[in-house]
């Protein structure tokens, strides 16, 4: 267990809390050692979190801003770097984390047809990561397609439906 305990400046805590709240998330607690964010059922689903778990944003001198899942809002067994420094950056990363369970926003396109000569990379959800050179979905054609982010609840549901 690692306790995220180094002190964050007051103004920084306030600005970060405001930025996270402005994106529609609920901050359960914010003080000099942690910002604790309430998880919705969809958030818990993408993060593989338990019912009482929260998302904790902490700060350490050594590692910068970390995030982790916590069952008590104070102890984070597995802190990971958030790769963000300013309150706006942190809030944007939190939004991505809560939507996808990770930090990278990989868009999946849902094609209307996947012909044999398609060179895109098909995903388990049935979506594709379009290849710019694909004769069906490439840049030159730029076809209309639906989009979602990899790892979101929708992406996981589509993948589960295809497996059943
Ligand atoms: Zn294609
Ligand atoms: Zn997907």
């Amino acid at each position: 267990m690692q306790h995220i305990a180094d002190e964050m400046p007051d103004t920084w805590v306030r600005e970060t809390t405001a930025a996270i709240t402005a994106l529609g998330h609920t901050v359960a607690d914010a003080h000099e050692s942690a910002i604790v964010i309430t998880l919705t059922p969809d958030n818990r689903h993408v993060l593989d979190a338990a019912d009482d778990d929260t998302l904790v944003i902490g700060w350490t001198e050594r590692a910068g801003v970390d995030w982790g899942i916590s069952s008590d809002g104070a102890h984070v067994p597995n802190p990971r770097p958030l790769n963000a420094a300013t309150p706006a950056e942190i809030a944007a990363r939190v939004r991505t984390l809560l939507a996808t369970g990770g930090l990278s926003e990989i868009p999946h396109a849902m094609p209307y047809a996947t012909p044999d000569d398609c060179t895109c990379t098909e995903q388990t959800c049935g979506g594709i990561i379009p290849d710019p050179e694909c004769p069906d979905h490439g840049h030159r054609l730029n076809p209309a397609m639906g989009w979602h982010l990899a790892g979101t609840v929708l992406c996981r549901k589509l993948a589960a439906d295809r497996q059943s």
Side-chain angles (χ1 to χ4, degrees), residues 118-120 128 134 136-137:
C118 172
T119 55
C120 302
I128 55 170
C134 174
D136 302 297
H137 312 110

Side-chain angles (χ1 to χ4, degrees), residues 57-103:
I57 305 300
W59 181 91
T60 54
E61 186 88 56
R62 178 184 51 81
V65 181
D66 281 333
W67 71 276
I69 301 298
S70 173
S71 56
D72 63 3
H75 295 83
V76 177
N78 182 23
R80 279 164 275 186
L82 196 66
N83 298 323
T86 68
E89 273 174 14
I90 292 165
R93 296 287 168 134
V94 164
R95 177 171 59 181
T96 305
L97 260 181
L98 293 177
T100 70
L103 288 175

Side-chain angles (χ1 to χ4, degrees), residues 20-45:
I20 291 169
T21 307
L23 291 178
H25 304 300
T26 305
V27 174
D29 196 10
H31 50 77
E32 72 284 353
S33 45
I35 295 171
V36 182
I37 298 154
T38 305
L39 301 177
T40 66
D42 278 356
N43 300 156
R44 286 199 293 271
H45 183 68

